Amino acid sequence: MAHPLCGADPGTLLAVMRRAGPPEKPGAAAMIAFSVLARWPFSTAERLALAGRLPRAQEMPAPVFILGHWRSGTTHLYNIMVKSGAWGFVPPVATGLPWDLFGLARVFRPLLERALPEHRYIDNIPVTPDSPQEDEIAVANMSASSFYHGIYFPRAFDDLVRRGLFFDGCAEGEVERWKERFVYLMRKLHLHQGGRRLLIKNPVYTGRLALLREMFPDAKFIHIHRNPYDVFVSMRNFYKKLLAEFALQTYEHVDIDGTILDVYARMMDALETDAKDMPVDRYVELRYADLDARPLEAVEEIYRRLGLEGFKEARPKFESYLASVRSFEKNRFAYSDEAAAKVESRLGRFLDKWGYARPGAPSAPAAGERPREGESDASAKGQAGAA
């Protein structure tokens, strides 16, 4: 299978390699280099051809962003909401060939679709030509500021992940370049998706709420959170599988546990700060447990809280999709006292904030929360983010 970086531009590839060094896999390196250089004239031609066709950012309906740490249910929510047919989204072809979305991607679409994996590498969620994707792989093909470059080039893992998630060490010009490339991608997606309002899911943006509000003042946000114990053990699998599949350099030195805990804490601290003054019709929180147990009710509440239209008309489509995935088998991971102790030591304030407990143990209400009449403490936890 082709490496995702086959869809990059030469400048992005060179900028990352200046920091991390060249790939250590000659075959993959040759394939990436050939694809990047062979596509470059066509990518350039596409950018020139689209210069007068793309809408300006302020002419587009402001996107709705789904936020949440990886493995917190963002994909499940994205898959449900896109089934309405009213949203523009990120199709698989846009992640691999963001520079070539209207040219080479259309020419080679049948081949690209046949090359799609049957399911995602990190879990059993099916992948089809119409499956909505997070845009971070596309961003990694357009900008040197993406956490995926830490996975691709793990020799500089810590540096690239921090730069890609929090812009640590990035000069002002690098951040501005990321913003320009990101907005350009949104403009292309808006045209590609027929002018529909974009629904964008990317865990990276959980720590960038303030920046996204600055770029899209009328944007709306949905934050979904899940028990940090579950997130932690699932993220171990996430990193191990992605590194094994996509790393172009050795990665035995990578501290996966430390990365998970550090990133989670920084993301959630940033989100808490950035969301303090959010209007009630621009930002909504929900628990993955609520979405999992009562998906239709959870999605309806999102539509109501954010003032989104079309839930009633889309309800049959949501119901049909949910029926089709009812037998979906989730990944299951073993818990250990060692893993739980790490979570409690580093993420205890989030356990308290949302009222989470070790899996299998009774849950307390989130901080400052009281059960509703006729509701137990354990069941009340499912209402914490929707209040």
Side-chain angles (χ1 to χ4, degrees), residues 2-315:
H3 193 278
L5 273 179
C6 287
D9 64 277
T12 293
L13 188 61
L14 290 173
V16 176
M17 287 196 297
R18 278 197 295 268
R19 288 196 162 272
E24 297 170 0
K25 297 182 177 180
M31 179 184 295
I32 292 169
F34 174 79
S35 175
V36 168
L37 293 175
R39 286 178 29 262
W40 181 52
F42 299 96
S43 303
T44 302
E46 178 168 316
R47 185 158 193 173
L48 293 173
L50 290 177
R53 294 180 55 198
L54 294 180
R56 293 183 298 174
Q58 57 267 36
E59 295 172 341
M60 298 163 43
V64 174
F65 292 95
I66 298 176
L67 312 177
H69 196 282
W70 297 269
R71 316 308 299 145
S72 294
T74 56
T75 297
H76 185 40
L77 178 60
Y78 198 22
N79 286 341
I80 296 172
M81 292 185 66
V82 160
K83 291 303 177 183
S84 73
W87 297 102
F89 60 92
V90 185
V93 67
T95 64
L97 292 172
W99 291 113
D100 309 281
L101 192 53
F102 292 88
L104 292 177
R106 288 181 171 175
V107 173
F108 294 107
R109 181 172 178 174
L111 292 175
L112 295 170
E113 290 179 354
R114 284 199 292 271
L116 289 174
E118 292 185 9
H119 53 77
R120 299 198 307 171
Y121 293 104
I122 54 176
D123 53 32
N124 299 314
I125 294 179
V127 176
T128 71
D130 297 319
S131 297
Q133 306 294 308
E134 67 184 56
D135 64 332
E136 190 62 24
I137 289 179
V139 170
N141 280 331
M142 305 176 78
S143 166
S145 301
S146 169
F147 102 103
Y148 263 109
H149 293 310
I151 292 172
Y152 301 156
F153 295 92
R155 188 186 300 165
F157 180 85
D158 291 339
D159 178 45
L160 292 174
V161 166
R162 287 195 299 266
R163 292 173 66 86
L165 293 178
F166 308 110
F167 295 127
D168 286 358
C170 289
E172 183 179 346
E174 293 176 284
V175 178
E176 289 302 314
R177 187 170 183 81
W178 175 86
K179 291 165 65 175
E180 183 269 325
R181 293 287 173 87
F182 171 70
V183 171
Y184 180 68
L185 175 63
M186 295 299 102
R187 293 166 65 205
K188 289 190 77 169
L189 287 169
H190 181 71
L191 181 63
H192 183 268
Q193 294 290 298
R196 291 173 292 175
R197 187 177 191 176
L198 293 175
L199 181 65
I200 302 296
K201 186 272 291 190
N202 189 339
V204 171
Y205 303 152
T206 307
R208 296 184 188 169
L209 177 59
L211 179 61
L212 291 174
R213 290 180 68 190
E214 173 191 314
M215 297 168 67
F216 300 98
D218 296 324
K220 296 176 185 282
F221 301 88
I222 307 162
H223 174 225
I224 181 169
H225 56 83
R226 186 182 186 184
N227 192 326
Y229 294 100
D230 292 328
V231 172
F232 179 69
V233 295
S234 187
M235 282 300 293
R236 282 175 162 175
N237 178 66
F238 171 93
Y239 276 113
K240 288 175 182 176
K241 287 197 170 182
L242 287 184
L243 285 165
E245 187 68 32
F246 297 125
L248 298 168
Q249 299 169 336
T250 57
Y251 54 87
E252 290 78 7
H253 62 284
V254 172
D255 179 4
I256 290 176
D257 285 4
T259 299
I260 297 167
L261 297 167
D262 288 344
V263 167
Y264 189 101
R266 284 192 66 178
M267 272 191 166
M268 294 307 163
D269 282 341
L271 180 66
E272 186 173 47
T273 298
D274 294 347
K276 280 181 179 177
D277 66 339
M278 286 294 295
V280 294
D281 63 342
R282 297 284 179 85
Y283 180 82
V284 62
E285 280 196 343
L286 75 153
R287 290 175 175 256
Y288 169 74
D290 282 352
L291 181 68
D292 189 44
R294 299 176 294 279
L296 274 177
E297 291 88 340
V299 173
E300 184 176 21
E301 179 71 359
I302 290 169
Y303 271 69
R304 184 188 70 78
R305 289 278 302 278
L306 295 182
L308 303 174
E309 298 179 353
F311 176 82
K312 183 177 179 181
E313 295 78 7
R315 183 178 182 124

Side-chain angles (χ1 to χ4, degrees), residues 286-287 289-290 294 354 369 375 377-386:
L286 75 153
R287 290 175 175 256
D290 282 352
R294 299 176 294 279
W354 291 314
E369 180 186 352
E375 192 176 57
D377 282 5
S379 63
K381 72 184 180 68
Q383 306 301 323

